[in-house]
Amino acid sequence: MFHEGIATTMSERPPRRETSPRGVMGLASLPAPQDSASDNTLLRGAEAPGVLVVDDNPANLVSLEAILEPLGVRLTKASSGEQALRFLLREDYAVILLDVRMTGMNGFETASLIKQRERTRNVPIIFLTAYGRDDTELVTGYSTGAVDFLQKPFPPEVLRSKVSVFVELFRAQHQVRAQAELLRQKEAEARELAHRAAGHIDRLRDFTARLSEASTVAEVCRALFEQGLVAAGAKAGAVNLLSDDGEALEIVDAVGYPEQVLSRWRRIPLSQRVPLTEAVREQKPIWLGSLEEWTERYPHLNAHGIHESAIALPLLVKGRALGVIGLSFARARLFTEMDRAFFSALAHACAQALEQVRLVTEERRVHEELRRRSEFEQQLVGIVSHDLRNPLAAISMSVGLLEKKNELSDSQKRTVQRIGQASERAARMIRDLLDFTKARLGGGIALHRQPTDLKDVVTQVLDEVQVAHPGRHVDVEVASDVRGEWDPDRIAQVLTNLLANALAYSPQGAPVRLRTFAEGGHALISVYNGGDPIPHELLSRLFEPMTRGSLKEGQSSRSIGLGLYIVRDIVRGHGGSVDVVSSQSDGTTFTVRLPRLTG
C-alpha cells in the first residue's frame, strides 16, 4: 500500500512462520548490515571503532574477544570498573560491554559513574549477566543508561549483531567529526550531525527499552508509533506482515493515513510493484527522498498529497522477511548514511521484537496443547484402568471357585492356576496405572499412616514374592524393632516393586538381597541384585514413567514401566528419598530412606 504513502502494519495475530532460533528483544538484536565484509575492511584500519569490554573474569574477556573479532573493531579489555573508567578518560568507544556482578565496583556502579561524565554519558552500555534477570535489575540497568541486557550463555551471533549496530552508528558519527575537522567552514552542519547521532543513540535506547516490555504484536506497533515515529520525524507510518500463505502483505496497524487510503491497501499481493513489496522481495530498504524520485521509480503510482518522501523498511530475522514498515515524511529529505543506519536499526529492533512475540506465543500454544493432551491421556488411562477392575475381579472369583472343586483334572488345575496368575498380574498392572493417574492428576498417591513395624511388612511381601517367583531365592537381613509412622500397604508396594525389579533384571542364579535397618531418625531399605549394571544413559530417567531396561534371554518381565515411578512417589509422599547405584563390579542397589516420625 506504500504506493500511496502507506507503511503497512500488523494485527494481534502473529504470522505463521517456520521456527527460527530464539529472538532477543531490544536494539542490540539487530542483524549486522549485509555489506559487513567491506565495513570490516574499513574498521580494521586506523579509524576502527573501539569497543570496551569490562569483566573481572579473564576467561570471559578472551571469549568476548573471539566473538567480536569478525567485526574488525579495536577491542579494549578492562578487568574492573576502575580500570574501565581510566580507559574512558583516554579514548572514545562505540559501545561498552559491562559485566553486572564484578568484585569491587559492580556493573551498575560503573555505569552510573560513566553516565555522570559529560564525555561518556552517551556511550551505549550493554549489560552482561550470568544470573537470571528480574524486574528490579532491569529497572536499575535502564536507569543507569543501559541499552540492553544479555544473559550468559548467549549465542555469539546475537552479541555481534547488537554490537555491530552501535559500531555503525559510531562510525557514522566519527565520519561527521572528521568532516567537521577537515572542513571548518561546515562546522555548524557537522555539529548538527553529531548532535543527531547522539540523539539517535538516545532514541534507540529508549525505543529498545520500550520494545523489551512488549508482549503482543499490538504493543510492538504502539511502541513504534509512539516513540519510533517521533524519533524518525515521520508524519505517518504503517506495519504490514506477510499473510499466512506468504503471498501478500496485510496491514496490522497504521497511524497518520486517511481511512480512504488505508481501505485501498489492506492487502497487497507480493507480485504488485510498490515500495513495500519490493523491500520484502529484495530484502533491503527502499529510500525515496522526494516526489521526483518516487515518480521516476514508480511512474504508475500517484503519491501527491500523501507524502513528499518515504521509506520502506523490511522486517528481517535471520535472512527471513516477516513484513515491512512504511514511513511517510511531510518534506523531501536526503537520507544520510547516519539516517540509514538509524532507520535500519529501528526496523531490526521491531523485527526482533515481533519474532520474540511470535516465538513466545507459539511456545505457549504448544505447551498448552501438550498439557491438555497429557491430561486427557492420563484421564483415559485412569478411566480404563478403573473399569477393568470389575471384570478382573470376576475372573479372580471364578478362579477361586474352580480351584475349590475337586473334580478338576491335573491339566485343568494347571490351566486354572495360569488364569489366576495372569489375572493377578493384570490386577497389579491396573493398580500401577491407577496410582500413576492419581500421582499425575490427583496431587499424589493417598497415604494412610499408622504405626508400622517394617519386619511385618517384609514378611508379608516375601511370601507374595516367593509365590510369584518360584525357584528364586531372596537373602533377607531385617533388623528388629524398625518402626515408624507409615502406610503399611504402600510400603509393601514399594518392597514388592523393588524386589520384582531385582528378580526381573537379574539371571536365575544371581543373588538378590533385601536389608532393612535403622539409622538415626530414619529407616533404610536396600534391595540388591547381582545382574548386569543399569546402562548409564538410563540412570538419569530410571524413575520416570514408562521407563524399562532391556531384558536378556531367559529374563522375563510383565511390567509396564511404572513400578519405579510409583516407588519414588510413595517414598516422597512419606518425606523420604530413593537412590540407586549400579556398576559392573558391585551390581545394582536401590536404597530407600524413610523418616520414622511424621512432622
Side-chain angles (χ1 to χ4, degrees):
M1 104 183 179
F2 203 65
H3 57 285
E4 288 212 16
I6 305 296
T8 40
T9 59
M10 40 210 218
S11 64
E12 294 282 343
R13 170 182 55 81
R16 176 171 58 83
R17 301 284 184 272
E18 65 273 19
T19 303
S20 65
R22 62 184 179 94
V24 179
M25 292 177 63
L27 167 65
S29 54
L30 308 181
Q34 295 180 359
D35 56 344
S36 59
S38 60
D39 288 345
N40 286 346
T41 301
L42 175 62
L43 291 175
R44 289 189 182 95
E47 299 302 323
V51 175
L52 178 59
V53 181
V54 188
D55 198 311
D56 59 354
N57 187 330
N60 288 344
L61 293 174
V62 173
S63 298
L64 290 170
E65 183 178 23
I67 290 172
L68 298 178
E69 194 277 335
L71 298 180
V73 297
R74 187 178 69 260
L75 194 68
T76 302
K77 295 178 285 185
S79 59
S80 67
E82 293 84 351
Q83 188 180 28
L85 293 173
R86 290 196 295 273
F87 287 150
L88 286 165
L89 291 174
R90 299 200 295 264
E91 64 178 297
D92 297 328
Y93 295 95
V95 62
I96 300 172
L97 305 181
L98 184 57
D99 186 40
V100 172
R101 307 201 180 189
M102 298 186 294
T103 56
M105 185 185 298
N106 65 32
F108 294 142
E109 294 168 340
T110 304
S112 179
L113 291 175
I114 291 172
K115 294 302 177 180
Q116 289 176 19
R117 295 178 177 177
E118 181 66 29
R119 176 177 173 178
T120 59
R121 66 173 50 178
N122 290 322
V123 180
I125 297 174
I126 299 176
F127 279 121
L128 307 178
T129 177
Y131 299 87
R133 306 182 309 183
D134 57 27
D135 291 340
T136 302
E137 277 201 339
L138 286 174
V139 171
T140 302
Y142 287 125
S143 68
T144 56
V147 297
D148 212 340
F149 273 82
L150 270 181
Q151 183 176 351
K152 306 172 187 174
F154 45 78
E157 63 270 20
V158 171
L159 181 60
R160 282 196 292 268
S161 69
K162 291 175 177 289
V163 172
S164 67
V165 172
F166 295 106
V167 167
E168 287 300 307
L169 289 173
F170 182 88
R171 184 167 66 86
Q173 191 176 28
H174 178 78
Q175 290 172 345
V176 171
R177 290 173 179 169
Q179 290 173 0
E181 185 70 20
L182 295 173
L183 306 171
R184 294 183 180 278
Q185 68 272 24
K186 295 185 178 181
E187 287 180 355
E189 178 184 352
R191 284 195 299 270
E192 175 63 21
L193 289 174
H195 176 73
R196 285 180 58 196
H200 284 340
I201 292 175
D202 288 341
R203 294 185 185 101
L204 284 172
R205 180 189 62 197
D206 295 341
F207 180 56
T208 53
R210 172 77 179 274
L211 281 180
S212 68
E213 301 172 354
S215 58
T216 65
V217 171
E219 289 177 358
V220 173
C221 292
R222 195 174 304 121
L224 172 65
F225 296 146
E226 292 179 0
Q227 288 188 257
L229 207 65
V230 174
K235 74 169 187 178
V239 180
N240 282 10
L241 292 184
L242 281 171
S243 59
D244 289 342
D245 58 12
E247 298 296 326
L249 290 170
E250 296 176 342
I251 298 176
V252 293
D253 204 354
V255 65
Y257 294 108
E259 181 57 35
Q260 61 268 27
V261 173
L262 291 174
S263 62
R264 294 184 57 192
W265 305 108
R266 292 289 179 189
R267 178 182 173 90
I268 310 171
L270 280 183
S271 59
Q272 193 164 340
R273 185 169 174 263
V274 297
L276 294 178
T277 56
E278 288 196 354
V280 171
R281 290 198 304 268
E282 298 176 11
Q283 295 197 357
K284 64 182 182 181
I286 303 296
W287 311 94
L288 301 168
S290 65
L291 283 177
E292 289 74 18
E293 290 184 32
W294 181 283
T295 303
E296 180 181 352
R297 185 163 181 172
Y298 304 99
H300 60 293
L301 300 177
N302 180 14
H304 288 276
I306 304 299
H307 50 238
E308 292 295 317
S309 58
I311 311 173
L313 301 165
L315 296 166
L316 303 176
V317 175
K318 300 293 183 182
R320 178 172 54 89
L322 306 179
V324 63
I325 297 173
L327 298 176
S328 294
F329 302 86
R331 297 188 304 273
R333 60 182 293 173
L334 174 66
F335 296 109
T336 66
E337 288 299 317
M338 186 183 303
D339 290 334
R340 295 182 184 225
F342 171 73
F343 287 119
S344 296
L346 200 73
H348 285 314
C350 285
Q352 292 291 337
L354 291 170
E355 179 68 0
Q356 183 72 7
V357 167
R358 186 191 71 80
L359 291 174
V360 170
T361 303
E362 178 64 16
E363 183 179 9
R364 288 174 180 169
R365 187 195 66 77
V366 171
H367 284 175
E368 179 62 21
E369 178 64 24
L370 290 175
R371 184 190 63 80
R372 288 198 300 265
R373 183 180 301 176
S374 177
E375 285 188 359
F376 171 76
E377 292 172 352
Q378 292 168 15
Q379 289 170 348
L380 182 62
V381 168
I383 293 170
V384 172
S385 301
H386 184 274
D387 291 346
L388 283 175
R389 289 192 302 178
N390 290 333
L392 277 175
I395 293 173
S396 299
M397 186 179 299
S398 299
V399 167
L401 293 174
L402 288 173
E403 287 178 339
K404 292 179 180 179
K405 292 185 176 181
N406 296 323
E407 61 268 22
L408 295 178
S409 65
D410 292 342
S411 175
Q412 290 173 331
K413 288 180 180 178
R414 287 194 296 272
T415 299
V416 170
Q417 288 174 351
R418 284 195 295 270
I419 295 173
Q421 292 171 352
S423 65
E424 289 175 3
R425 286 195 298 271
R428 286 196 297 272
M429 291 180 184
I430 290 172
R431 181 193 63 186
D432 286 348
L433 286 171
L434 286 172
D435 285 342
F436 169 72
T437 305
K438 291 176 183 177
R440 283 296 181 93
L441 298 180
I445 297 174
L447 300 177
H448 304 285
R449 296 174 181 266
Q450 62 188 60
T452 303
D453 190 332
L454 200 54
K455 184 175 182 180
D456 296 337
V457 178
V458 171
T459 301
Q460 170 196 338
V461 169
L462 284 175
D463 291 341
E464 296 175 357
V465 169
Q466 292 297 146
V467 172
H469 298 83
R472 293 299 303 271
H473 176 70
V474 178
D475 293 327
V476 180
E477 182 183 338
V478 179
S480 60
D481 197 29
V482 181
R483 303 175 185 273
E485 293 285 335
W486 308 310
D487 184 329
D489 292 335
R490 291 301 185 181
I491 299 301
Q493 189 175 354
V494 168
L495 287 170
T496 300
N497 288 358
L498 291 177
L499 285 172
N501 182 78
L503 293 168
Y505 290 97
S506 62
Q508 185 71 23
V512 175
R513 291 194 292 269
L514 169 64
R515 182 179 175 223
T516 69
F517 57 96
E519 186 179 90
H522 290 79
L524 271 69
I525 303 170
S526 70
V527 176
Y528 163 86
N529 79 79
D532 290 338
I534 300 170
H536 178 74
E537 64 273 11
L538 191 62
L539 276 175
S540 61
R541 54 187 178 87
L542 192 62
F543 293 96
E544 295 302 318
M546 309 303 176
T547 301
R548 297 179 56 185
S550 300
L551 295 172
K552 294 188 176 181
E553 186 176 355
Q555 296 175 315
S556 64
S557 174
R558 293 166 178 81
S559 166
I560 55 176
L562 293 175
L564 294 180
Y565 170 80
I566 292 170
V567 164
R568 185 181 64 175
D569 201 76
I570 292 174
V571 172
R572 285 181 175 178
H574 282 86
S577 62
V578 56
D579 301 300
V580 59
V581 292
S582 185
S583 66
Q584 186 67 49
S585 58
D586 298 326
T588 299
T589 301
F590 286 85
T591 303
V592 174
R593 179 180 293 270
L594 295 170
R596 302 177 69 179
L597 298 175
T598 59

